[in-house]
Amino acid sequence: MPIKKIFSLITFLIIIFSNITKVYSIEADVFVQSTVNRAAKTLGGTLTKEERVEKLKEIARDTVDINGIGFYSLGAHRKGLTEEEIAKYKKLFSEYFLKSFSSRLAEYSNPEIEVNSKNVINANYTIVSSTLVSTESRPEVKIEWRVYTKNPESLLIRDLIIEGLSLARTQREEFSSIINSNDGNIEALFKTLSDFTAK
């Protein structure tokens, strides 16, 4: 094949693939607004609490980096774990996170969250600022979403910062306290996670 034709083919493929990326990529603020809209639709419908919980778990699986949050929450304690212990932790943390996330959110009815702005930190992270609109029974709440953007086709939430308080950091401190107060025994954390899920 002549060099000109090869060059033309390569150029054509580059254009095609770059367009495909643009089609499937999504901005972080649009991603967050879409996510909260899905949650609001679930919470504002006629589903039972149990049905809402299952729908919210589905949303979390689609939009949250559960493994990433789990490993961050474990911190330096991850270093000494065996592959078997890591696999056990991932399973327990996923069950713990999904129950905690869905059961707390299921208590809300018609939460209205407005996305206000975004701040691109680097190629991997964007902070999206939003507001939980106040009602007669609830004050306005400022919420920041830490969105992992390394793969623009699959954005994931890695933290929520509510009125300046990082939920991931708070959870990390809690897990560290449990492990340290039990002489570094990871099984103490496993039991805590398991007991919570079993409630």
Side-chain angles (χ1 to χ4, degrees):
M1 183 181 289
I3 291 177
K4 279 188 176 180
K5 287 190 176 180
I6 293 174
F7 179 76
S8 297
L9 178 60
I10 291 172
T11 303
F12 174 74
L13 290 174
I14 289 172
I15 292 171
I16 289 296
F17 282 110
S18 66
N19 284 338
I20 287 173
T21 300
K22 288 177 183 177
V23 169
Y24 289 101
S25 64
I26 183 172
E27 293 297 323
D29 53 344
V30 176
F31 166 71
V32 169
Q33 189 66 70
S34 173
T35 300
V36 298
N37 288 348
R38 284 180 66 187
K41 185 177 179 181
T42 297
L43 295 169
T46 58
L47 301 175
T48 65
K49 183 177 179 179
E50 290 72 22
E51 290 171 332
R52 288 200 300 271
V53 164
E54 291 307 311
K55 284 286 186 182
L56 291 169
K57 285 182 179 179
E58 182 182 322
I59 293 171
R61 291 188 189 99
D62 290 343
T63 61
V64 179
D65 185 2
I66 298 174
N67 283 337
I69 294 174
F71 285 135
Y72 174 83
S73 300
L74 198 55
H77 297 287
R78 176 186 176 184
K79 294 180 181 178
L81 300 186
T82 65
E83 289 186 8
E84 183 180 352
E85 287 173 327
I86 288 175
K88 182 177 180 180
Y89 172 74
K90 285 173 65 175
K91 180 177 184 298
L92 287 171
F93 181 81
S94 178
E95 293 170 349
Y96 161 85
F97 178 87
L98 289 171
K99 179 174 181 178
S100 176
F101 169 85
S102 58
S103 59
R104 289 176 184 174
L105 200 55
E107 299 297 332
Y108 283 91
S109 60
N110 297 320
E112 183 181 349
I113 294 179
E114 296 178 348
V115 172
N116 305 317
S117 62
K118 66 178 177 181
N119 179 21
V120 179
I121 305 301
N122 52 46
N124 292 338
Y125 287 101
T126 294
I127 300 294
V128 177
S129 299
S130 69
T131 304
L132 176 63
V133 179
S134 64
T135 65
E136 290 182 359
S137 60
R138 181 188 65 225
E140 177 182 284
V141 179
K142 301 294 184 184
I143 304 173
E144 292 182 327
W145 311 68
R146 185 175 177 86
V147 182
Y148 187 55
T149 55
K150 185 175 183 179
N151 181 357
E153 298 173 24
S154 181
L155 305 189
L156 292 169
I157 297 163
R158 280 200 168 170
D159 193 12
L160 286 184
I161 303 160
I162 300 177
E163 294 292 343
L165 182 65
S166 164
L167 298 188
R169 188 176 300 130
T170 299
Q171 187 165 256
R172 181 174 181 161
E173 292 170 355
E174 180 185 348
F175 284 11
S176 181
S177 176
I178 292 169
I179 296 170
N180 291 335
S181 62
N182 285 276
D183 299 320
N185 186 355
I186 193 67
E187 289 295 332
L189 177 61
F190 290 169
K191 185 177 186 307
T192 298
L193 299 179
S194 182
D195 288 349
F196 176 85
T197 305
K199 288 179 183 177

